[in-house]
Amino acid sequence: MSSPTVGDHVVSRLGQWGARRFYGYPGDGIGGVVSAIGRAVEAGDAEFVQVRHEETAGFAATADVKYGGSPLGVAVVTSGPGAVHVLNGLYDAKLDHVPVVALVGQTASNALGTSYYQELDLVRLYGDVAGEFVFQVSRPDQVQHVVDRAARTARERRTVTAVVLPSDLQDADAVPEVPEGHGFAHTSAVPGSLPGTPRTEALAQAAEVLRSGRKVAILAGAGALGATAELTAVADRLGAGVAKALLGKAVLDDRLEWVTGAIGLLGTRPSYDLMSQCDVLLMVGTTMPYSEYYPAPGQARAVQIDVDGTRCGLRYPTEVNLVGDARETLAALLPLLEGADPDPSWREDIAGWNRAWDAWGVERAQAEANPLNPELLVRGLSDRLEDDHQVAVDCGTVTSWFARDLDLRPGMTASLSGTLLSMGGGLPYALAAKQAHPDRPVLALLGDGAMQMNGLSELITVAQRWRTWTDPRFVVVVLNNRQLSFVAWEARAMQGEVPFDAAMDVPDVPYAGWAELLGLAGRRVEGPEDVDAALTAAMSADRPFVLDAVVDPNVPMIPPHVSLDQVLSTAKATVKAGLSGDPDAREIVVDGVRQTVGAAARAVRGRARRPEQR
């Protein structure tokens, strides 16, 4: 048997860090590592998922960690163009604080510095996305230290790191035992201990602030995932209402009467009211960026829990910052909250807001649309999801319908490109969720723009792999509105401009037909009368299923708090549209402006009733 190579050493050492699944695309610049992964696959020690584009390798490696498949994601890409392509997916990991190591090929050592083909300065290129640690290996005896440091830094800092490997070095003989001598480092492949609980004095200070509240609001994010029981107990003890940042949507059951759902631009009116009327705020594992959706400065006392102290006090002037694991910190806080005296009407108010919002949601979903209301379709999915469903979402108007209309329950997982907000991540996320848990059903929600960006090609990967899954159910819902509708609404509401067709139109593609060409199943839906039968067929299919839903692009996304400037801008754009012959003008006037102005009026009335908080 031949001696192990540097590539073998890299793969085996990453395996010791818990990385056994590699997402990537081969090329001569990374050939030695790919061959080593192949040998590990034959030995049963690794899995290689060949995606259709390096960008989606980055997305999938990120999602693999988010869905609990691996403690460390790995993207494997070749030199030059491959190294450039993967960057978007890696930035998704960086901004959402997900540990990912990028294995990046490089021009052969002897050609470096000669302006050789595909030669890029990869250390400089990766200096931002992998700023915590990026290193180009030049000797086999560096591998152990470099891989250990890359993996340790990625896991401990929850970020992206990169190991750059010249192509000739990958096939060199490995040096698995680091020589003893000056300048050599002997390292460990053992992760650090998990974050624990904050010190006793800090917990006592936090408990004093929380007990002082009569109307407590909790904002939970991705950092609260895994702490559902503890978060529920603390919320009950404080009589609190809970809003959820988008990446934390799966933390609590959306059906609970004291859970107000998503917050922010795509959030709910109850979440907005919760924040605007609370007197104490507890933030758990979140740095939700929209400052206008927090309590007004000075309105509420605040406590924050996060594993990273640098993110505490970043969005709101907190009094106490607890640095530690969310689950353990909440558990430690609970006995200290005895004596809390919440206003008994607070949760009653929250339940009333939720009932009114849900009734309005039903009204929105049943509103006439041409040909199909997207909210009707998404709301119809809620009752059909199983308790172990994994949901992947792309970015666009579909994100709004997911945030507001899809109820998640305990046991479900859901994620998306939450901070980068990149289109094109939905299918790679769904694929990674299925690879992580092949025995669980998956639902992917995409707009047609995102489907054309990456989804059509990655559906080929789904067709290639689905027969290896224990449970073949993999439903892709494409909201086919033939338009980049999120961008179009931004132009109308933010810029007061009429979107022009050449920029906004998306070709109408037979997505279900494409699925059938690949040996999968699919159906096109063009009216509300077809929804129930189509959803039933999709959820019970014996193979991946693409539901091509032809929806109305003029169903507006209505922010929970709409500024009068946005209303006026939308109205101005509508007037321009009418004068210029925009074919959507009539629908926008009838449906969009009516609902937008109505939402703004409700917001204004709400502010008028609470002048002391403004």
Side-chain angles (χ1 to χ4, degrees):
M1 179 179 177
S2 59
S3 300
T5 66
V6 164
D8 294 317
H9 193 189
V10 169
V11 172
S12 64
R13 196 70 179 182
L14 282 171
Q16 293 182 54
W17 283 97
R20 295 172 55 86
R21 193 173 296 112
F22 299 81
Y23 294 90
Y25 202 83
D28 61 346
I30 197 66
V33 169
V34 171
S35 294
I37 295 172
R39 291 188 285 272
V41 169
E42 290 179 1
D45 296 330
E47 179 182 359
F48 182 74
V49 181
Q50 184 209 80
V51 292
R52 310 273 66 79
H53 192 278
E54 291 91 351
E55 178 188 19
T56 58
F59 279 130
T62 303
D64 197 289
V65 179
K66 285 187 173 185
Y67 288 97
S70 305
L72 181 67
V74 183
V76 183
V77 298
T78 192
S79 56
V84 174
H85 287 162
V86 76
L87 285 172
N88 194 52
L90 296 180
Y91 271 108
D92 181 39
K94 177 183 173 69
L95 270 60
D96 279 354
H97 307 287
V98 178
V100 171
V101 173
L103 299 180
V104 188
Q106 177 59 293
T107 300
S109 302
N110 62 291
L112 287 172
T114 69
S115 298
Y116 205 62
Y117 81 99
Q118 296 190 340
E119 181 188 358
L120 300 176
D121 186 344
L122 295 180
V123 173
R124 180 178 295 181
L125 179 67
Y126 277 69
D128 181 46
V129 72
E132 295 283 354
F133 183 74
V134 52
F135 190 83
Q136 183 165 302
V137 180
S138 59
R139 295 165 44 127
D141 52 18
Q142 294 175 315
V143 167
Q144 179 174 304
H145 171 79
V146 171
V147 172
D148 284 351
R149 189 170 177 191
R152 188 184 311 281
T153 303
R155 289 190 58 169
E156 297 299 323
R157 302 283 178 84
R158 297 174 304 284
T159 192
V160 175
T161 58
V163 178
V164 180
L165 296 151
S167 58
D168 56 322
L169 182 73
Q170 298 168 36
D171 290 317
D173 289 343
V175 180
E177 298 296 331
V178 178
E180 292 188 21
H182 179 70
F184 288 102
H186 300 267
T187 59
S188 164
V190 178
S193 62
L194 295 175
T197 56
R199 66 185 192 279
T200 303
E201 313 90 84
L203 288 167
Q205 292 171 350
E208 184 278 322
V209 173
L210 296 172
R211 288 196 308 269
S212 73
R214 298 276 288 162
K215 298 181 176 182
V216 179
I218 298 176
L219 176 57
L225 294 170
T228 298
E230 292 77 12
L231 184 64
T232 300
V234 166
D236 285 340
R237 181 70 53 85
L238 295 171
V242 182
K244 300 183 291 185
L246 199 57
L247 287 173
K249 184 172 168 64
V251 171
L252 291 172
D253 192 331
D254 278 311
R255 302 167 301 175
L256 294 171
E257 62 181 12
W258 46 269
V259 173
T260 60
I263 192 170
L265 185 64
L266 307 182
T268 70
R269 178 70 198 191
S271 290
Y272 176 74
D273 287 336
L274 179 76
M275 292 296 154
S276 59
Q277 297 192 40
C278 70
D279 57 13
V280 165
L281 171 65
L282 172 61
M283 300 167 62
V284 184
T286 181
T287 55
M288 192 275 295
Y290 296 117
S291 60
E292 64 270 32
Y293 292 96
Y294 286 93
Q299 170 194 317
R301 304 180 72 185
V303 173
Q304 186 167 356
I305 300 171
D306 205 289
V307 293
D308 185 348
T310 66
R311 297 208 294 272
C312 290
L314 188 63
R315 305 298 186 198
Y316 194 78
T318 49
E319 287 188 44
V320 185
N321 294 317
L322 300 177
V323 180
D325 174 77
R327 184 179 62 81
E328 292 189 24
T329 301
L330 289 167
L333 267 177
L334 184 62
L336 304 179
L337 299 177
E338 290 288 350
D341 184 26
D343 183 339
S345 67
W346 180 231
R347 278 197 166 181
E348 294 175 6
D349 288 343
I350 295 168
W353 298 337
N354 280 334
R355 286 192 295 272
W357 175 261
D358 188 61
W360 189 40
V362 172
E363 182 182 342
R364 291 196 317 268
Q366 293 178 348
E368 184 178 350
N370 181 24
L372 175 63
N373 191 320
E375 291 196 82
L376 178 69
L377 179 73
V378 175
R379 288 178 73 89
L381 287 164
S382 289
D383 293 336
R384 290 176 167 82
L385 294 180
E386 299 188 7
D387 288 343
D388 63 343
H389 241 101
Q390 302 181 99
V391 181
V393 188
D394 221 295
C395 294
T397 54
V398 68
T399 318
S400 179
W401 314 140
F402 160 73
R404 296 178 176 185
D405 295 310
L406 192 72
D407 287 339
L408 297 184
R409 305 190 299 273
M412 297 179 182
T413 56
S415 198
L416 73 160
S417 176
T419 309
L420 186 61
L421 291 172
S422 175
M423 288 175 61
L427 245 296
Y429 266 52
L431 175 66
K434 196 67 171 180
Q435 292 300 132
H437 304 287
D439 58 337
R440 296 176 60 175
V442 166
L443 168 67
L445 293 172
L446 285 78
D448 50 358
M451 187 65 175
Q452 292 183 24
M453 186 174 286
N454 286 333
L456 289 172
S457 57
E458 290 309 328
L459 204 62
I460 299 172
T461 312
V462 171
Q464 179 190 39
R465 304 193 67 87
W466 74 269
R467 289 179 178 82
T468 68
W469 299 335
T470 309
D471 184 334
R473 289 175 297 171
F474 186 101
V475 175
V476 181
V477 175
V478 183
L479 300 185
N480 180 2
N481 56 26
R482 292 82 61 208
Q483 186 183 82
L484 296 176
S485 55
F486 191 98
V487 183
W489 279 106
E490 283 182 323
R492 288 175 178 128
M494 302 300 181
Q495 300 166 311
E497 294 294 335
V498 180
F500 66 99
D501 293 346
M504 301 299 175
D505 285 358
V506 172
D508 188 2
V509 172
Y511 304 103
W514 171 238
E516 291 171 342
L517 283 175
L518 295 175
L520 309 178
R523 181 179 295 189
R524 187 174 173 100
V525 177
E526 298 184 285
E529 67 280 0
D530 300 326
V531 168
D532 283 342
L535 292 180
T536 299
M539 290 298 186
S540 61
D542 63 354
R543 64 193 61 206
F545 190 106
V546 174
L547 184 62
D548 179 1
V550 183
V551 299
D552 192 337
N554 296 317
V555 173
M557 298 181 303
I558 307 166
H561 160 51
V562 182
S563 72
L564 293 179
D565 284 345
Q566 288 174 311
V567 174
L568 292 173
S569 294
T570 303
K572 184 172 73 171
T574 304
V575 171
K576 284 186 180 179
L579 294 176
S580 64
D582 182 349
D584 296 334
R586 181 179 298 277
E587 287 81 359
I588 295 168
V589 172
V590 174
D591 298 322
V593 175
R594 174 179 59 81
Q595 294 193 44
T596 305
V597 172
R602 283 187 289 274
V604 171
R605 286 200 303 271
R607 288 200 297 275
R609 285 195 294 268
R610 300 187 300 278
E612 73 285 357
Q613 295 167 348
R614 292 297 165 204

